[in-house]
Amino acid sequence: MQSVIRTHLESVSSHSCYATELSFINSSTRRRSPPEWIMKTFCSVWLLLSLVELRPALPVSQETPLACRGPADPALQQPETPEEMDTTGDLEPTHYPARRAATVALHYLNTRHGSPYRVFGLQQVHKASAEDVAAGGRKYSLDFSVTTSPSGSAGPALRCSAEVLFPRTEQHTPPDVQLNCEALQQLNSTAEDEAFYQKYITPDSAVSAQYLPDSYGNMSEDMQPFWRLARVAASFIMLRESSENTEFNMAQVASITQQESSEKQLMLDYVVLLHDLPSQEIIQWKLLASWSPDSGVRVLQMEWQPRCPHATKPPN
Amino acid sequence: MKGSVMSLLVALALVAQDRLAGGQEHRSYDYTKYHTMDEISAWMNQMERENPDVVSSMIYGQTHENRNLTLLKIGFTRSTPKKAVWMDCGIHAREWISPAFCQHFVKEILGSYQTDPKVSMLFKNLDFYVTPVLNMDGYIYSWKDNTTRLWRKSRSPGTGNCTCIGTDLNRNFYANWGTVGISRNCCSAVYNGPTPLSEPEAKAVNDFLGAHQNQLLCYLTIHSYGQQILIPYGHPNISAPNYNDLMEVGLAAANAIKAVHGKSYKVGTPPDVLYALSGSSSDFARLIGIPYTFTVELRDEGHYSFLLPEDQIQPTCEEAYQGAMSIINYIHDKNFRGSASTVTATLWTTLVASWISSANVF
């Protein structure tokens, strides 16, 4: 990367500009006499302009933003595919391509094994690699660790391996995940899950709340399992909507309304606010989820809710 | 009976005197809670009033809604210009932990410069320019009600056909503006504005940094969330000339952070660890020659995202403070070696003298 800038400097700048720029960077404590300062400013501006000119004009997005656009349309303007997106082989674990793929694996893990007293969070990516596949997609191989909430970093970390396939198709296709975590089969429904279920499966139970957590990040202890259930249910949506250009987290539960229990399942109407990192958009989804200790979480209905002044119709 | 009442009264008097004597104690301000803009403005006035020798305020622009953009200038006064460190918080309205950190930072340095020789040295050789909330209009809007909490941008109206409000201030600077990581749709959260520096908030920072570029050694801008220390540039094809140095300083800061509460902060350029972007304030700062520019993304990593619980304010600020001081101390020591070498010389002289006196060679 250093060589890129150096080559560019040499090719574009006059030698004096290059020398001034370099010497300025290397000895920022040197007192600069006025002519030198002017020279430095001129060179910096010239350099900046030359850099901007040299770069081919990158496509910029005219698309309606994600919050209005709704499910899984191509994200905002991206750079030419970053090197890591195209390289076959090892990926840097702390860089975003590995992390986004691991986040997708995490969403999948939560849909399968999440509960009111167990939400998985990404702790660390240990190793990652990627390769293009024949059908025209990209497959990531991941070795990573997860923590569970409520215990968080205080509790044990689970080691997982996963393969995440992002199909590169015209229309968005959800990623495919194969996942294996150690000791996952031993993770039974906890006593707290059972107690929670017994408490709220009663016929007269009608929990409802808004904005969890509140603006200050606070949430009563009673409402935390409901928040975690929302987080698990939202994982179904986040999983479905994910691509290599997205990175979803649940920002807030806008509302929760308990519906009449059906077939021994807790039934919960949620409105959740999802945050996508690259576009920085907040996307609102309404969903109906069911849960019981035996069946796990299922999402029965989901509906994108556009939030913008001139709402465009959802694609479906 | 009388004796015990007397001793109780004496004890109370001593406690009261102790509290009054602790002049830097800001007992009424709770640094572990999120504060409204009014509370923060009042707090800034209080900091200036209570520390007149080392704190002054400067108005350096106006927001779109005509609020004064104010910073606190902190350090020992000197007639000649000093080198300086810039810190801004709250460019993005919903990142409430960020202004909380700026307040914590100011509290810490004001509370320690009289007792900690390192901080005293910083006050001697540097000025700190701290803006606790840059995007005041956006921040106030995010406090309006539950539906506005997750607002990000400024509050300027859309231009032309656009009916949406706001520009992403951190895409509005003249630094590869409009090339990558932005949207030209003004409803987007990363709309970079009709033109560079269209937003008065960005313009104010631009002008201040430009006017002080010879003094500024360090530019720090505080955000959330993600737990990252980002170095220039946001554009994937451009590299800072001092990339290696920046990475080293960043990694040292991440280590300092980890030592406090075990949290991992990733270090790198945005195109590597986050996403490519353009028009950011830190890219601009680096481009005009401020050597050490960092964007810090505070807690968490997505669990609560922007709605970081108040009980995490203190630990987050504690670790971030160590990270910031790691960077600031490095830069200080690099630029003001004189003081350190005097100490070293004295030490060596003392050692040699004691060796000579203890050796019986003569």
Side-chain angles (χ1 to χ4, degrees), chain A residues 68-120:
Chain A
C68 298
R69 218 180 17 235
D73 270 330
L76 58 91
Q77 186 275 315
Q78 297 287 326
E80 299 144 12
T81 353
E83 289 164 34
E84 272 186 77
M85 297 281 223
D86 280 334
T87 48
T88 299
D90 290 338
L91 301 174
E92 182 57 54
T94 56
H95 288 188
Y96 76 76
R99 193 181 63 240
R100 286 183 195 174
T103 303
V104 169
L106 186 78
H107 293 322
Y108 177 82
L109 177 60
N110 275 318
T111 63
R112 306 292 250 146
H113 296 279
S115 77
Y117 282 85
R118 187 162 62 231
V119 167
F120 296 96

Side-chain angles (χ1 to χ4, degrees), chain A residues 222-276:
Chain A
D222 279 346
M223 295 313 293
Q224 286 179 22
F226 288 103
W227 179 87
R228 285 190 288 267
L229 263 180
R231 178 67 178 75
V232 175
S235 298
F236 285 83
I237 302 172
M238 295 192 284
L239 175 63
R240 201 184 81 159
E241 298 299 306
S242 287
S243 74
E244 285 169 287
N245 296 323
T246 61
E247 195 170 339
F248 288 109
N249 287 300
M250 185 178 83
Q252 196 177 30
V253 177
S255 74
I256 162 197
T257 318
Q258 184 176 9
Q259 303 297 311
E260 201 179 306
S261 301
S262 160
E263 292 172 16
K264 299 196 191 153
Q265 306 291 312
L266 282 183
M267 302 292 283
L268 297 159
D269 238 340
Y270 281 113
V271 175
V272 294
L273 299 172
L274 307 179
H275 174 241
D276 172 51

Side-chain angles (χ1 to χ4, degrees), chain A residues 3 17 31 47 60-61 88 99 113 118 126 129 133 157 167 194 196-197 212 218-219 223 234 237 239 257 271:
Chain A
S3 56
C17 257
R31 271 171 156 263
L47 188 63
V60 292
S61 170
T88 299
R99 193 181 63 240
H113 296 279
R118 187 162 62 231
H126 303 291
S129 64
V133 296
E194 283 293 340
F196 174 81
Y197 177 74
L212 299 174
N218 299 326
M219 204 173 6
M223 295 313 293
I237 302 172
L239 175 63
T257 318
V271 175

Side-chain angles (χ1 to χ4, degrees), chain A residues 1-2 4-6 21-22 24-26 28-30 32 37 40-41 44 48-49 51-52 55-56 58-65 68 76-80 82-84 94-97 99-100 119 121-123 149 153 210-219 224 227 231 247-252 273 275-282 307-310, chain B residues 34 83 94-96 142-143 145-147 149-150 152 162-164 168 171 174-185 187-190 210 213-215 217 225 228 233 235-244 263 266-267 269-276 286-292 301-311 334-337:
Chain A
M1 264 216 212
Q2 289 251 61
V4 171
I5 193 98
R6 207 171 285 273
E21 196 62 42
L22 256 194
F24 169 70
I25 300 302
N26 288 331
S28 50
T29 56
R30 240 176 355 123
R32 284 183 293 287
W37 177 86
K40 191 227 114 259
T41 313
S44 303
L48 165 65
L49 288 172
L51 281 168
V52 173
R55 295 294 136 221
L58 294 164
V60 292
S61 170
Q62 302 286 351
E63 302 284 333
T64 339
C68 298
L76 58 91
Q77 186 275 315
Q78 297 287 326
E80 299 144 12
E83 289 164 34
E84 272 186 77
T94 56
H95 288 188
Y96 76 76
R99 193 181 63 240
R100 286 183 195 174
V119 167
L122 183 64
Q123 188 200 56
S149 277
S153 41
Q210 290 203 307
Y211 295 103
L212 299 174
D214 65 17
S215 289
Y216 312 96
N218 299 326
M219 204 173 6
Q224 286 179 22
W227 179 87
R231 178 67 178 75
E247 195 170 339
F248 288 109
N249 287 300
M250 185 178 83
Q252 196 177 30
L273 299 172
H275 174 241
D276 172 51
L277 258 175
S279 68
Q280 291 291 349
E281 294 293 339
I282 302 292
R307 289 167 89 215
C308 48
H310 36 268
Chain B
Y34 295 117
K83 293 296 182 187
R94 59 194 180 198
E95 299 165 11
W96 285 14
S142 74
W143 277 80
D145 58 55
N146 281 315
T147 66
R149 174 61 177 86
L150 293 171
R152 170 180 168 89
C162 178
T163 52
C164 290
D168 186 343
R171 303 286 187 277
Y174 195 48
N176 306 302
W177 182 85
T179 53
V180 69
I182 58 99
S183 173
R184 292 308 296 150
N185 187 305
C187 297
S188 165
V190 292
Q213 66 186 97
N214 286 344
Q215 291 168 249
L217 296 175
Y225 60 95
Q228 294 166 339
Y233 287 104
H235 195 291
N237 299 351
I238 304 169
S239 189
N242 59 338
Y243 172 85
N244 289 333
K263 293 296 182 185
K266 297 162 281 290
V267 184
T269 62
D272 282 343
V273 303
L274 185 58
Y275 45 66
R286 177 64 273 223
L287 277 172
I288 60 165
I290 299 170
Y292 294 96
E301 287 179 302
H303 190 76
Y304 290 114
S305 74
F306 302 112
L307 307 180
L308 194 68
E310 283 179 315
D311 64 12
K334 184 173 174 175
N335 285 278
F336 300 96
R337 241 175 281 126

